[in-house]
Amino acid sequence: MRGVENLYQKLFSIPRAEIMVAISFLSALMLSLLDNILLYFWALVFTVSIVAVKVINLKFNLKRISFLAFLIAVITLPAVLVNECVVVSAFLLFAIYYFCSEKKLLSIPLASIPYLVLSPNISTLLILLISAILAAIYLRILDVRVGVVRIRDFVENFVLFWLTSNPEHMENFLEGSAEEFEGRVRCLTVNDARLIQTDFHPGPFRNVGGARLVERLSAGNAVYLHSPTSHARNPVSSGEVEKIASSLKCSGINLTPQKPFRIEGDNFEVYCFPFGEQRLIFVSGKKHIDDFIVSSKSFVVDCHNAFERNYDPDSRDVEEIQSLIKEAEKRASQLAEVKSAFVRIDAETESLCGYVAAILLDYGGEGYAIIVFDANNVDLNFRRHVEKLFDEIGYKAIVVSTDNHAKTGVRAKQSYKPAGGDTRDWEVAEKLVEKCKNAELKETVFSYAERRVRIKVMGERLLRDSEVAIGRARGLIATFLAFAATNYLFSTMLRFIA
């Protein structure tokens, strides 16, 4: 999903409403010094856009309306100075109203009003007709398929989602090409604490579909542990997330704990907490780690704890991980008595989505701390710092992240940050350690429950075709600009002839 995430992040941002209205009006006032018609035109576009919010459900607020009126006035300026032609921007306004509204059939007639009021003549009608034809041709060009993805459908839903933050727009698009996948929903209880995991992926981004998964399953004394999975297993809607949540069961069979151990490889290491046949296995990256898929009946956790930009595990990485897991599943261990404590702090920063938590485990004087950051991966230097802090209070720290994509694309021009990417994360880590120092360890009862659930996920086809469609969509932006320029020049020339 990197292509979709990057597209979302690169979209521009503008100042807050009152500032934007003032800037837009003052700019139009200054433009009117060159020609009075520009101020009238700005006022018409501004007013009609406010009406359009009600009439065609244009997804603009006052801030965006102000920016639009300013933009259209500035684009029209050269043509106005040359031959008083304001209609040159019609194609652009048609396209904006069309893609940014729900009642699309009425978008072009409504967008024509500022031009007809300002210049009610035959040449204006002719230019508006030509602009409408160009808009229809462009929409036809956009109406192509890349595998299971219809580009026009994607663009229309993506724009409405970007404007409104309403996930239903993107979820409707994703559901149209979804695949069914059956996965496990697991719960390991450590006294009152619950360690929850699914075979699904907490993406694609922001509040769409599975990006709500971690928040939904992490309430109270629960933490979410990322499984070996990929974006192909993103639940496509909040409804599918609810199916997962409904299948969760945390009352299960009691487990008998055994002493944990560590196995080291070249690029990865695993920490195994055995409970007889059932084993809790953490896969940690030495230099980097990201989504991987392996086959195992054990409770395997992708720690997602060593961020490296643009890293994707190759076949050798996955083979190493698989071999380490198999070795951990075979190795014998001794019975052990365990004391535990659970510490959780609600925290949100530019990288942390909701909380940090620690499951403290004392195996007869040998301490382990499972540290969960509700974030998308972990900065490696930050992880080393956290490991050192817990080592100083007597615990071997196993740092993990939830791979939560809720922060991906939240703000324009800002990609997600791994845990440790915000300076406040370091303060939260210090606070967590202080609370763990005073945590009361108690005799521990472990239990385990597992269920299976079948839901709609993105699937490999939709994931692959979406990435290709994003590449095509970028190319179609150049086509759009060419159409806008053609309409501009043609309208200007036609006005000269008229």
Side-chain angles (χ1 to χ4, degrees):
M1 291 301 293
R2 284 197 177 99
V4 183
E5 292 173 353
N6 290 336
L7 180 64
Y8 193 93
Q9 292 154 10
K10 289 177 182 177
L11 293 172
F12 62 84
S13 59
I14 53 182
R16 63 181 188 268
E18 60 270 25
I19 295 177
M20 194 62 235
V21 171
I23 291 174
S24 182
F25 173 72
L26 291 173
S27 299
L29 203 58
M30 292 178 67
L31 291 176
S32 69
L33 298 176
L34 299 173
D35 196 311
N36 286 335
I37 198 172
L38 290 169
L39 182 58
Y40 297 128
F41 184 50
W42 175 91
L44 282 167
V45 173
F46 188 92
T47 302
V48 171
S49 296
I50 289 176
V51 173
V53 171
K54 294 292 185 181
V55 175
I56 61 173
N57 291 337
L58 181 67
K59 300 303 182 181
F60 275 19
N61 52 25
L62 192 59
K63 178 169 63 173
R64 291 194 174 108
I65 289 172
S66 301
F67 182 81
L68 175 64
F70 163 73
L71 177 67
I72 296 297
V74 168
I75 288 173
T76 308
L77 172 63
V80 168
L81 295 179
V82 171
N83 62 359
E84 293 287 323
C85 182
V86 295
V87 201
V88 291
S89 56
F91 173 83
L92 181 60
L93 194 60
F94 287 172
I96 291 172
Y97 272 31
Y98 178 87
F99 285 109
C100 300
S101 65
E102 290 186 344
K103 298 179 182 178
K104 299 185 182 299
L105 290 177
L106 297 175
S107 58
I108 290 179
L110 193 61
S112 301
I113 292 175
Y115 305 103
L116 291 172
V117 170
L118 206 59
S119 183
N121 53 55
I122 296 298
S123 65
T124 297
L125 282 172
L126 181 60
I127 293 172
L128 288 174
L129 178 61
I130 292 169
S131 299
I133 292 171
L134 285 174
I137 293 172
Y138 180 73
L139 290 175
R140 183 66 187 87
I141 293 172
L142 201 63
D143 198 13
V144 295
R145 281 190 175 274
V146 176
V148 299
V149 176
R150 183 176 172 229
I151 292 182
R152 178 171 163 181
D153 189 30
F154 169 79
V155 172
E156 290 179 4
N157 282 285
F158 184 84
V159 170
L160 290 175
F161 166 66
W162 170 57
L163 291 170
T164 64
S165 296
N166 182 351
E168 290 183 5
H169 295 295
M170 282 304 297
E171 290 177 355
N172 289 338
F173 165 76
L174 295 176
E175 286 198 84
S177 305
E179 298 177 8
E180 286 199 344
F181 173 76
E182 183 175 280
R184 296 165 295 183
V185 180
R186 300 168 150 186
C187 182
L188 176 66
T189 61
V190 184
N191 284 346
D192 293 331
R194 294 173 296 154
L195 282 61
I196 297 169
Q197 185 193 67
T198 76
D199 284 341
F200 307 100
H201 189 276
F205 53 85
R206 200 168 180 177
N207 59 345
V208 176
R212 298 179 178 184
L213 188 63
V214 176
E215 180 184 9
R216 182 66 180 84
L217 298 180
S218 295
N221 282 359
V223 296
Y224 187 86
L225 298 178
H226 183 48
S227 64
T229 187
S230 75
H231 275 281
R233 297 177 183 177
N234 287 329
V236 296
S237 70
S238 57
E240 302 306 299
V241 171
E242 286 305 311
K243 289 180 185 178
I244 296 171
S246 298
S247 70
L248 177 65
K249 176 186 177 184
C250 284
S251 56
I253 59 172
N254 287 342
L255 300 177
T256 302
Q258 298 172 330
K259 292 197 70 172
F261 55 84
R262 171 177 170 270
I263 303 174
E264 187 174 2
D266 293 332
N267 297 303
F268 304 92
E269 57 189 2
V270 301
Y271 294 87
C272 180
F273 293 80
F275 301 93
E277 291 299 315
Q278 184 57 257
R279 300 197 167 201
L280 176 61
I281 300 173
F282 293 88
V283 180
S284 179
K286 289 185 173 181
K287 298 177 292 185
H288 45 222
I289 192 169
D290 213 303
D291 293 337
F292 62 85
I293 296 179
V294 294
S295 177
S296 175
K297 292 182 179 179
S298 297
F299 194 130
V300 178
V301 179
D302 169 5
C303 290
H304 235 69
N305 61 358
F307 175 70
E308 180 181 299
R309 193 172 300 279
N310 297 325
Y311 164 73
D312 279 312
D314 57 26
S315 58
R316 288 178 299 178
D317 288 337
V318 176
E319 286 172 6
E320 179 183 332
I321 291 169
Q322 185 78 71
S323 66
L324 289 171
I325 291 171
K326 287 182 177 179
E327 186 177 346
E329 289 174 331
K330 294 176 182 177
R331 182 173 295 190
S333 185
Q334 300 174 338
L335 296 178
E337 293 185 357
V338 185
K339 290 185 177 181
S340 69
F342 179 74
V343 177
R344 171 171 165 150
I345 298 173
D346 291 336
E348 184 174 354
T349 66
E350 289 186 355
S351 54
L352 299 180
C353 299
Y355 66 90
V356 296
I359 299 97
L360 305 176
L361 301 166
D362 185 349
Y363 287 79
E366 187 177 355
Y368 289 86
I370 301 169
I371 313 302
V372 183
F373 287 95
D374 184 16
N376 194 312
N377 222 307
V378 182
D379 177 81
L380 194 52
N381 290 329
F382 177 64
R383 178 181 126 197
R384 301 300 186 207
H385 175 69
V386 173
E387 290 170 345
K388 181 181 177 183
L389 290 176
F390 276 89
D391 182 64
E392 290 172 354
I393 63 171
Y395 291 97
K396 173 63 181 177
I398 303 168
V399 178
V400 306
S401 77
T402 59
D403 192 27
N404 194 338
H405 281 258
K407 291 283 184 182
T408 305
V410 169
R411 234 183 279 171
K413 292 187 176 179
Q414 175 184 303
S415 63
Y416 71 80
K417 294 181 178 180
D422 187 321
T423 55
R424 290 173 291 176
D425 299 349
W426 298 67
E427 298 171 6
V428 171
E430 298 274 358
K431 184 178 178 182
L432 181 67
V433 173
E434 287 301 315
K435 290 194 72 171
C436 288
K437 280 182 184 178
N438 302 317
E440 180 185 355
L441 298 171
K442 298 180 180 179
E443 296 293 335
T444 306
V445 175
F446 297 89
S447 69
Y448 176 77
E450 176 181 316
R451 283 185 170 180
R452 302 187 73 86
V453 61
R454 178 174 289 273
I455 67 161
K456 293 179 182 179
V457 298
M458 286 186 62
E460 292 290 350
R461 288 183 309 162
L462 179 56
L463 187 67
R464 179 189 64 246
D465 295 344
S466 292
E467 293 293 333
V468 177
I470 289 297
R472 292 272 190 94
R474 292 193 183 104
L476 288 167
I477 292 174
T479 305
F480 174 81
L481 294 175
F483 268 63
T486 300
N487 183 74
Y488 197 102
L489 293 173
F490 186 80
S491 301
T492 305
M493 292 171 59
L494 192 62
R495 191 68 169 210
F496 268 125
I497 296 171

